[in-house]
Amino acid sequence: MTSSAETAHPTATTDGIRDQARSALREQALSALRELVGRSDADFHEGQFEAIEALVGGRRRALVVQRTGWGKSAVYFVATSLLRRQGAGPTVLVSPLLALMRDQIAAAERAGVRAVAINSTNAHEWSDVLAQLDRDEVDVLLVSPERLNNPSFREQQLPALVRRIGMLVVDEAHCISDWGHDFRPDYRRLRDLIAQMPPGVPVLATTATANSRVVADVAEQLGSLTQDSPSSEPVLTIRGPLARTSLRLGVLRLRDSASRLAWLLSHLDDLPGSGIIYTLTVSAAVDTARLLRDHGHDVRAYTGQTDAEEREESEGMLKRNEVKALVATSALGMGFDKPDLGFVVHLGAPSSPVAYYQQVGRAGRASDSADVLLLPGVEDRDIWHYFATASMPDRERAERVIGALGDAPISTPALEAMVDIRRTPLELLLKVLDVDGAVQKVQGGWIATGEPWTYDAARYERIAAERVAEQQHMLDYEQTDGCRMEFLQRALDDDTAAPCGRCDNCAGVWFPQEIATRAGAQAAESLDRVGVPIEPRRAWPTGADRLDVPVRGRIAAEQQADEGRALARLTDLGWGGTLRQMFAAGAPDAAVTSQVLDACIRVLARWEWAERPVAVVAMPSRSHPLLVDSLARGLAEVGRLPYLGALSPVGGGPSGQAGGNSVFRLAGLWDRLCADHLEVSSGPVLLVDDLVDSRWTMTVAARELRRAGATAVLPFALALRG
């Protein structure tokens, strides 16, 4: 029979051994951290070692929600270093953006961690990367979530990688959740990857922007895959305060786009250091950068349409303070790392406080002070609505896609010719259906899985309602008279929120509000800029013959339109506002105003065409017949050109909606327009329309006019969509 002291002894011994092991692990981790940051006095922030201990000592799953600059990358690089010393395989780091990958690789090199990437820009290096993996010379492999569903990668490289994986890291994990501000369908595939991993492989998910709903959703997805193991531990969530004491927040409400640009012209040089100017659209970024450059400011535009090489070059220039600012869309966001970024200015507000917090978090990461200023616009809500509706799947479209697919692979271009959906929304819909298990990407294209699929209407209604609520929260942020940092913290469900003492509401307005007279004139002149090229179609869409349109390949030179002009894009800061009102749903059809006509005349005056038009022809318009006819007559009168009238609709005229999938749009136009009744003289013809979207209407109309005798067709429209 043993005494009570004897029965207690094994527990005490076990606790002592555990404490010794924890102390040894902390010593090893601290050494790795100091090597990473290059400082012998570095120590862990609260929560960092706890995460490392869970991953390395407990081989657990952890979700870390911490503010930008807290050191989330230090957690996974230190954990990787320690796991590799224990004989574990490489860490797979799922990272959403190329800019983020570049920064992560650079940080890994500083820590002595060997990191390589497989992404869309380095296909020429993939064989070398795979050879390094085979030789166990890689500590961290960075992949994009999209790469996980690449058939070649999924079937040839992923199985071997899964067998050897030492740790999985999901960076920017809010993208997993469709409640998050930047949901990406490809992130949902991580559930399948985790399910394939051997038992005991640690998983780390990190983000700086997640409210309680997103945290619960991500933790549930990470943890639900371990429920079949009764010994598995719940997901460890480490969540810290999100206050950014270095940021000085402010909101300046100005009456219009011209005033906002004039403020930038007046005060950009007053902002500290170098920074980022965010816009909501590509055209706004490009136009703003051009205006600032034209008046002596060293800035560059940075959007999703900017070449990858130019984006990388611009990132480097900003980090080296070789430019005052990058004028960027949200393409410059997650993970961009410039610790001393001095300011962030928004021309127009993001659609939620969570998204706003993520973007302003780029500033002041390693400095005592950084300025953050929001210049909201009256057009913000229209832009929010457009992007919100564009990203939501549609039941009828989804069922159409599933119905078109079978067992034989169909490429995306071929599928586009079978369903009336444009390429970009079709690709997004395919990703959603792939994640839902209804379709699958294989070598050669897409197939239907045969699995039953139902449209989760209740879920999408909840998401839509949540997005509307978030938009209202952003408007509340703009108008609050309370602390702005506290507002953002509460929006992310941070229960440590308290007044910051620095923002414009806590400490008083810190930014100048006056606008230089000259700057106002310069901004107004820039916004009054007119003329946007309309690029002509040069080739018929693949698959047109499937819909009985007898064309393929290149459009014959003698049937093509020339490059055209539009007054402006609908998304432009200047004339875009006027045009958006003209083409808004429910707006009445009316004759063109003298102001708009004068602007169109300026476009024609600056148009350096090879040969002056000899006549004007109008498009038959279903929605704006009075507008188009008055515009065509007005241009003909000013140019002293004969107005020949409008093309005649045939068989009821063009069918289908404007824009749309190329094949279906072309089919709805084919043989539906006639120019035989027009007395077309030999020479160029100015072809006038209201709104250009897919450009197929102009293409088919130009073909008819060329066949009727025109030697060239010069398309002109009030607005260009996009």
Side-chain angles (χ1 to χ4, degrees):
M1 188 172 181
T2 58
S3 67
S4 59
E6 290 174 329
T7 58
H9 180 71
T11 301
T13 301
T14 301
D15 289 344
I17 294 173
R18 186 181 297 116
D19 289 343
Q20 290 177 8
R22 187 174 194 270
S23 178
L25 178 61
R26 193 183 195 285
E27 185 176 339
Q28 295 170 11
L30 187 59
S31 175
L33 174 71
R34 289 171 174 173
E35 184 178 356
L36 171 68
V37 300
R39 286 178 48 193
S40 60
D41 61 342
D43 205 344
F44 290 113
H45 296 149
E46 183 178 352
Q48 281 183 316
F49 176 67
E50 288 75 11
I52 294 168
E53 182 183 28
L55 297 167
V56 179
R59 303 297 175 101
R60 294 181 61 181
R61 299 180 180 190
L63 169 60
V64 172
V65 184
Q66 296 282 1
R67 66 184 182 274
T68 302
W70 173 83
K72 295 181 287 293
S73 61
V75 170
Y76 51 73
F77 284 137
V78 169
T80 293
S81 179
L82 299 183
L83 286 167
R84 292 287 282 163
R85 293 178 196 176
Q86 296 176 7
T91 290
V92 174
L93 172 55
V94 180
S95 186
L97 295 175
L98 295 178
L100 181 52
M101 285 189 182
R102 289 191 285 269
D103 284 340
Q104 287 163 330
I105 290 174
E109 290 176 351
R110 292 194 297 271
V113 175
R114 299 168 296 182
V116 295
I118 289 180
N119 57 52
S120 59
T121 68
N122 71 340
H124 60 290
E125 299 175 357
W126 290 359
S127 59
D128 293 338
V129 170
L130 296 175
Q132 289 176 273
L133 284 167
D134 289 339
R135 296 192 298 267
D136 199 26
E137 296 174 353
V138 173
D139 298 318
V140 177
L141 175 66
L142 292 91
V143 299
S144 67
E146 292 80 8
R147 186 58 41 193
L148 298 175
N149 200 43
N150 176 274
S152 175
F153 181 81
R154 188 184 63 217
E155 295 166 12
Q156 298 175 25
Q157 284 88 43
L158 191 58
L161 189 59
V162 166
R163 288 193 297 270
R164 299 176 50 233
I165 189 170
M167 179 171 65
L168 175 67
V169 177
V170 182
D171 207 3
E172 308 296 351
H174 58 270
C175 296
I176 293 176
S177 175
D178 50 18
W179 298 110
H181 74 275
D182 195 25
F183 167 58
R184 302 189 180 194
D186 289 296
Y187 263 73
R188 287 285 192 180
R189 297 194 181 98
L190 292 168
R191 294 176 299 181
D192 300 330
L193 173 60
I194 295 174
Q196 298 173 40
M197 296 191 317
V201 175
V203 178
L204 172 65
T206 69
T207 180
T209 48
N211 56 24
S212 295
R213 183 194 297 270
V214 175
V215 168
D217 189 15
V218 175
E220 180 182 1
Q221 292 187 59
L222 293 179
S224 63
L225 298 165
T226 65
Q227 297 307 307
D228 56 347
S229 174
S231 62
S232 63
E233 296 184 74
V235 173
L236 173 66
T237 299
I238 297 175
R239 189 171 186 180
L242 300 177
R244 295 291 307 280
T245 58
S246 63
L247 300 185
R248 186 166 61 160
L249 303 175
V251 175
L252 176 59
R253 303 178 68 85
L254 297 170
R255 66 178 183 273
D256 52 27
S257 296
S259 299
R260 297 198 298 275
L261 291 177
W263 187 93
L264 265 183
L265 284 169
S266 300
H267 301 293
L268 178 57
D269 286 339
D270 299 332
L271 294 170
S274 56
I276 301 172
I277 301 167
Y278 278 112
T279 68
L280 298 185
T281 66
V282 170
S283 59
V286 173
D287 291 346
T288 301
R290 182 186 62 223
L291 167 65
L292 293 173
R293 280 197 310 272
D294 287 349
H295 293 91
H297 296 284
D298 198 356
V299 301
R300 278 188 159 208
Y302 186 112
T303 76
Q305 296 180 15
T306 307
D307 290 339
E309 295 80 6
E310 185 178 341
R311 289 201 301 269
E312 184 174 0
E313 181 183 40
S314 295
E315 292 165 20
M317 293 178 72
L318 180 59
K319 290 178 181 179
R320 296 187 298 271
N321 297 315
E322 294 172 0
V323 291
K324 180 65 177 178
L326 296 185
V327 186
T329 62
S330 59
L332 182 65
M334 293 182 294
F336 175 75
D337 186 14
K338 176 177 168 56
D340 63 340
L341 194 76
F343 65 88
V344 171
V345 173
H346 278 79
L347 293 180
S351 59
S352 76
V354 179
Y356 185 62
Y357 177 89
Q358 190 273 329
Q359 291 183 347
V360 302
R362 307 270 65 80
R365 298 175 64 174
S367 59
D368 294 334
S369 180
D371 289 344
V372 172
L373 184 62
L374 170 62
L375 306 175
V378 294
E379 69 278 4
D380 292 352
R381 276 180 269 197
D382 291 338
I383 297 173
W384 297 344
H385 176 72
Y386 171 79
F387 285 117
T389 54
S391 64
M392 296 291 284
D394 176 87
R395 182 205 303 255
E396 189 275 330
R397 285 184 164 195
E399 292 174 343
R400 199 188 316 159
V401 169
I402 295 171
L405 294 173
D407 297 333
I410 299 177
S411 68
T412 304
L415 182 61
E416 188 182 11
M418 300 168 65
V419 295
D420 190 8
I421 307 174
R422 291 177 117 174
R423 180 69 59 86
T424 298
L426 175 60
E427 289 174 339
L428 178 60
L429 180 56
L430 284 167
K431 288 182 179 181
V432 172
L433 294 175
D434 186 3
V435 171
D436 288 347
V439 305
Q440 184 179 4
K441 190 174 185 180
V442 298
Q443 293 288 352
W446 295 88
I447 61 171
T449 64
E451 295 294 322
W453 180 85
T454 56
Y455 181 77
D456 193 345
R459 173 185 166 214
Y460 290 121
E461 287 172 3
R462 290 195 303 270
I463 294 171
E466 180 67 17
R467 288 179 177 172
V468 171
E470 289 175 344
Q471 293 171 9
Q472 183 57 52
H473 292 159
M474 194 65 219
L475 297 175
D476 293 342
Y477 171 81
E478 296 171 13
Q479 298 164 3
T480 185
D481 57 4
C483 173
R484 298 197 191 276
M485 180 57 73
E486 181 181 17
F487 188 103
L488 294 179
Q489 287 180 262
R490 294 195 185 283
L492 276 85
D493 299 317
D494 180 0
D495 57 12
T496 69
C500 69
R502 290 174 56 85
C503 71
D504 57 349
N505 286 338
C506 285
V509 173
W510 52 264
F511 44 84
Q513 301 181 66
E514 71 280 357
I515 295 173
T517 302
R518 182 181 179 189
Q522 291 168 341
E525 180 183 357
S526 175
L527 291 177
D528 195 37
R529 188 187 299 262
V530 296
V532 177
I534 301 174
E535 297 296 333
R537 294 279 190 178
R538 300 299 190 195
W540 300 111
T542 302
D545 53 338
R546 291 174 179 264
L547 297 183
D548 298 323
V549 179
V551 292
R552 60 177 8 183
R554 290 189 61 79
I555 302 173
E558 64 274 11
Q559 296 182 357
Q560 290 182 15
D562 283 16
E563 182 182 80
R565 292 290 186 276
L567 172 58
R569 304 179 190 87
L570 284 179
T571 55
D572 283 351
L573 291 175
W575 280 97
T578 300
L579 295 173
R580 285 194 297 271
Q581 293 178 5
M582 293 172 62
F583 295 111
D589 180 31
V592 66
T593 65
S594 58
Q595 179 190 30
V596 173
L597 180 60
D598 288 344
C600 293
I601 292 169
R602 283 194 283 135
V603 176
L604 298 183
R606 299 173 185 176
W607 192 347
E608 296 180 354
W609 41 47
E611 186 179 352
R612 191 176 189 274
V614 298
V616 177
V617 171
M619 290 294 303
S621 174
R622 290 179 292 179
S623 55
H624 301 96
L626 179 56
L627 176 64
V628 174
D629 183 71
S630 63
L631 175 62
R633 290 180 184 276
L635 295 178
E637 181 178 355
V638 171
R640 298 180 181 178
L641 300 171
Y643 174 49
L644 305 183
L647 290 159
S648 293
V650 177
S655 62
Q657 299 299 314
N661 170 277
S662 287
V663 174
F664 279 80
R665 183 58 183 149
L666 179 61
L669 291 160
W670 196 254
D671 290 335
R672 300 295 183 92
L673 295 171
C674 178
D676 292 346
H677 65 291
L678 301 176
E679 296 181 4
V680 179
S681 303
S682 177
V685 170
L686 185 69
L687 176 61
V688 178
D689 203 355
D690 52 359
L691 176 64
V692 169
D693 189 348
S694 69
R695 293 171 289 147
W696 286 115
T697 302
M698 285 290 198
T699 301
V700 171
R703 177 177 180 270
E704 294 303 312
L705 288 169
R706 295 292 300 271
R707 294 172 68 187
T711 59
V713 174
L714 304 168
F716 179 82
L718 286 172
L720 180 64
R721 192 183 298 277

